[in-house]
Amino acid sequence: METPLHIIRLLADGRCHSGEAIAAHLGVSRAAVWKALRKAGEALGLDIVAVRGRGYRLPAPLELLDAARILAALSPEAQQRIARLEIHDAIDSTNTRLMHEAAEGAPSGTLCLAERQTAGRGRLGRTWVSPFGANLYLSLLWRFPFGPAGMGGLSLAAGAAVANALRAAGTGDIGLKWPNDVLWQRRKLAGLLLEVAGEAHGPAHVVVGVGVNTHLEPDQGAAIDRPWVDLDQALGRGAYSRNALTAGVAEALIQAMDRFGREGLAPFLADWERYDLYRGEQVEVHWGQQRVRGTHLGLDASGALRLDTGAGIETFQAGEVSLRSAED
């Protein structure tokens, strides 16, 4: 008997497959086909449609992750910087996986992808909705010779890199919300989670986790507590390749990590400010139960948010606060 993923790979083209063909593929009787399909659908959270007189299909085609296609879409330089590429059918969290591997000595440039996360995580303890085969769940391990204090502003550099990758994929109207939410027409399209560990004076490592919504059903998106959007809405279904997008985001992150290690945050600030959707607007900065309202003045050289409260200018560091428009 094949695994659920083997069954879904057979149906991934979105076409109808006869019960006889599926039975032959699985090595089971015709009578056992529906039971096997139902178990595969339940295991991966997918609907499988029975079409009378024709067979079985998925509601829409799926482009599953393919290591060869992803690597082929990378530049030679990026290929050389990837030490290892992992693709998991299902995993608790790509970030959790790489943090464990980093502690065990995994090399810089380890890239972890998943078709599905069962415990995907966002910033500030939020859950990241992670259905099978529908979005991009990517984490990159990168090692630096300096300590965690030298990584100030790294989340901003990573956010600008992801925004550039999505723009290169054809997504206009991309913007950033401090510190690193990626928005399309002010709805959340992608988010980042950076986790750092290491010695105070170095070396240290970071795991950069990226989630990009490519296709979410309304019932899946209902669990998201902010206005959201997916690439199907921004570009149109079939207007992009999930594997090419994965390669584009990975390449952008690799280039950003390498450059940040050599030059710090400074070369990324112009891009970040170009994407900043809230500069000049009235916003509220939240941390814990406290909030401060004022005019968003942009970032300082360290990447801290500058806020004119009317009583003076205050600065806030990424990782401590969340930012919302005063109109939200």
Side-chain angles (χ1 to χ4, degrees), residues 164-225:
N164 281 332
L166 290 171
R167 186 179 183 189
T171 312
D173 295 325
I174 284 288
L176 288 167
K177 185 182 81 167
W178 185 86
N180 51 26
D181 281 347
V182 184
L183 310 182
W184 181 79
Q185 296 186 355
R186 299 206 171 212
R187 291 179 288 167
K188 188 163 183 175
L189 176 62
L192 292 89
L193 174 65
L194 278 71
E195 297 182 280
V196 174
E199 302 296 327
H201 300 290
H205 63 265
V206 63
V207 171
V208 183
V210 179
V212 181
N213 299 329
T214 61
H215 175 78
L216 282 175
E217 296 294 341
D219 61 327
Q220 296 166 339
I224 302 174
D225 65 354

Side-chain angles (χ1 to χ4, degrees), residues 87-167:
I87 299 179
H88 300 272
D89 300 343
I91 199 172
D92 54 353
S93 158
T94 56
N95 259 42
T96 298
R97 171 83 175 204
L98 280 196
M99 287 298 287
H100 286 316
E101 291 188 3
E104 296 172 357
S108 183
T110 299
L111 184 64
C112 180
L113 309 171
E115 294 287 3
R116 182 188 188 192
Q117 294 184 123
T118 57
R121 296 180 291 122
R123 290 185 64 246
L124 306 177
R126 296 189 181 98
T127 298
W128 190 267
V129 177
S130 307
F132 179 87
N135 299 316
L136 171 58
Y137 320 117
L138 176 155
S139 293
L140 174 68
L141 167 63
W142 205 263
R143 296 185 181 276
F144 293 103
F146 44 78
M151 297 186 199
L154 182 59
S155 66
L156 301 173
V162 172
N164 281 332
L166 290 171
R167 186 179 183 189

Side-chain angles (χ1 to χ4, degrees), residues 12-34:
D13 58 10
R15 300 173 181 171
C16 275
H17 294 259
S18 70
E20 182 179 2
I22 295 172
H25 179 82
L26 300 181
V28 300
S29 68
R30 286 284 302 275
V33 165
W34 175 242

Side-chain angles (χ1 to χ4, degrees), residues 278 290 300:
Y278 289 82
Q290 301 183 62
D300 68 13

